Amino acid sequence: MNFDIKRTGRAVLHVTDLEKSKEFYESLGLIETESDDENVFYRAIEDHNHHCLWLRKMPEAAVEVISYRVDSEEDLDKLADFFEAEGTEVIWMEKGMQPAIGRTLRVQDVSGIPCEYYCEMDKVERMLQRFDVHVGAKVQRIDHFNCAVPDVQKAYDYYIDKLGFVCSEYTTTKGSDEVWAAWLHRKPGVHDTAFMNSIGPRLHHIGFWLKDPMSLIDGCDYLAAKGLAPTIERGPGRHGLSNAFFLYLRDPDGHRIELYNGDYYTGDSDFDPVEWDLDDPQRQTFWGHEAPDSWFEEASTFLNVYTGEKVETEQPKLDKRKPNTII
């Protein structure tokens, strides 16, 4: 690849009640960088840039875009050339068109997911040693996106062959090479994005990294003390896939957030992806407890980057008797 995608960058979510959303996200330990009556920008403790999460007050909840950071402005130009050569329309947003961020390009990816790429973002004070403002789960950084798509193999092939992502773990069925789910990365962790076989495209969750498992427990205690225990949907637990210690939460509009710790280094050139069998129950939860139905059935709506309308979803391509096979 002649462009360098570095990592998961930010997400832009539409929410219907900014004050309720602020109470939720600040209880996780995200730090407000800037806000007004229509917007709030959050960064995590490790961030030296303006934000990793932008909440926009809108009449309906939705996901405007998920973003990846690239290494240089030249990489943006190379990405634009690539997408246009592929026949994908590119939407340029010049510096100044969005708060705190340089020029970005937006596309609807091969699965219909609204994706953004950027290089520059305003710098701010890093809060890593501002222990006086660390609360809740003490969220350290944004880590990954998890997307439900109707054709995982299509997304898998495109992101690996065209965009240079690398697979860390994947799920197949016995006797088949077709991929049911895949964890793909650019940074040397387990994933920057994951694709799961389900009704889609939809955003299943945004994952945020914590410094240790105790921070996850602290987050649960803090949420409960604030009267927000009902936001806890699943966990704590440990995934077989990724080895991560996890907790899943729902914000006031139903957007799902994962608090996440405990995956591993994947940066060696001879790293071999880990294969899981779809029928292995430990791939989802290593300890064996089941997820609630909502975790399989519900996800956030994407918006089309060209029209602003909701992206239409499709049933999964693989066995429709098992549509809900997300980890």
Side-chain angles (χ1 to χ4, degrees), residues 14 62 302-311:
H14 292 186
F302 281 126
L303 298 181
N304 188 297
V305 297
Y306 311 119
T307 67
E309 298 176 352
K310 294 179 180 179
V311 174

Side-chain angles (χ1 to χ4, degrees), residues 112-174:
I113 297 167
C115 292
E116 175 187 69
Y117 298 87
Y118 72 94
C119 171
E120 178 190 355
M121 186 181 285
D122 291 353
K123 289 192 174 182
V124 294
E125 178 189 1
R126 193 173 66 146
M127 309 298 274
L128 186 60
Q129 292 183 324
R130 283 292 307 276
F131 299 108
D132 56 314
V133 299
H134 297 184
V135 300
K138 303 174 283 292
V139 169
Q140 300 287 299
R141 60 180 179 267
I142 193 169
D143 186 80
H144 64 267
F145 305 118
N146 186 305
C147 299
V149 296
D151 189 338
V152 173
Q153 189 72 51
K154 180 180 179 181
Y156 174 92
D157 291 342
Y158 191 83
Y159 272 72
I160 287 181
D161 296 339
K162 303 291 188 178
L163 295 178
F165 282 68
V166 179
C167 181
S168 60
E169 304 202 17
Y170 64 103
T171 300
T172 59
T173 55
K174 291 178 181 177

Side-chain angles (χ1 to χ4, degrees), residues 3 5 70 75-83 105 117 163:
F3 44 78
I5 300 169
V70 302
D75 288 314
L76 290 178
D77 295 323
K78 291 177 179 178
L79 271 167
D81 291 343
F82 161 75
F83 285 123
L105 68 85
Y117 298 87
L163 295 178

Side-chain angles (χ1 to χ4, degrees), residues 55 62 67 150 188 200 208 215 220 296 310 326:
L55 304 182
S67 306
F208 288 92
S215 294
C220 291
F296 294 104
K310 294 179 180 179
I326 303 170

Side-chain angles (χ1 to χ4, degrees), residues 118-298:
Y118 72 94
C119 171
E120 178 190 355
M121 186 181 285
D122 291 353
K123 289 192 174 182
V124 294
E125 178 189 1
R126 193 173 66 146
M127 309 298 274
L128 186 60
Q129 292 183 324
R130 283 292 307 276
F131 299 108
D132 56 314
V133 299
H134 297 184
V135 300
K138 303 174 283 292
V139 169
Q140 300 287 299
R141 60 180 179 267
I142 193 169
D143 186 80
H144 64 267
F145 305 118
N146 186 305
C147 299
V149 296
D151 189 338
V152 173
Q153 189 72 51
K154 180 180 179 181
Y156 174 92
D157 291 342
Y158 191 83
Y159 272 72
I160 287 181
D161 296 339
K162 303 291 188 178
L163 295 178
F165 282 68
V166 179
C167 181
S168 60
E169 304 202 17
Y170 64 103
T171 300
T172 59
T173 55
K174 291 178 181 177
S176 171
D177 293 330
E178 189 138 30
V179 178
W180 278 82
W183 285 251
L184 310 181
H185 65 92
R186 287 294 303 171
K187 67 177 180 296
V190 167
H191 56 328
D192 287 283
T193 193
F195 297 107
M196 310 297 178
N197 183 62
S198 187
I199 298 169
R202 298 180 296 167
L203 178 67
H204 188 264
H205 66 262
I206 305 169
F208 288 92
W209 174 264
L210 309 183
K211 65 179 180 179
D212 53 35
M214 194 63 219
S215 294
L216 194 150
I217 303 300
D218 289 342
C220 291
D221 287 340
Y222 192 85
L223 288 165
K226 294 277 286 185
L228 296 174
T231 66
I232 299 173
E233 179 187 36
R234 179 186 176 192
R238 184 180 294 280
H239 288 311
L241 277 150
S242 82
N243 190 56
F245 196 53
F246 69 81
L247 180 75
Y248 290 96
L249 308 162
R250 307 294 293 277
D251 83 357
D253 288 286
H255 297 307
R256 185 178 288 104
I257 301 298
E258 181 184 21
L259 302 182
Y260 177 91
N261 168 267
D263 66 351
Y264 52 86
Y265 180 76
T266 59
D268 290 336
S269 59
D270 62 349
F271 178 85
D272 292 325
V274 179
E275 181 180 6
W276 289 82
D277 192 299
L278 183 64
D279 294 326
D280 185 346
Q282 286 189 303
R283 68 186 173 82
Q284 290 191 12
T285 308
F286 192 65
W287 301 341
H289 55 287
E290 295 185 359
D293 290 343
S294 63
W295 194 88
F296 294 104
E297 296 169 357
E298 298 172 10

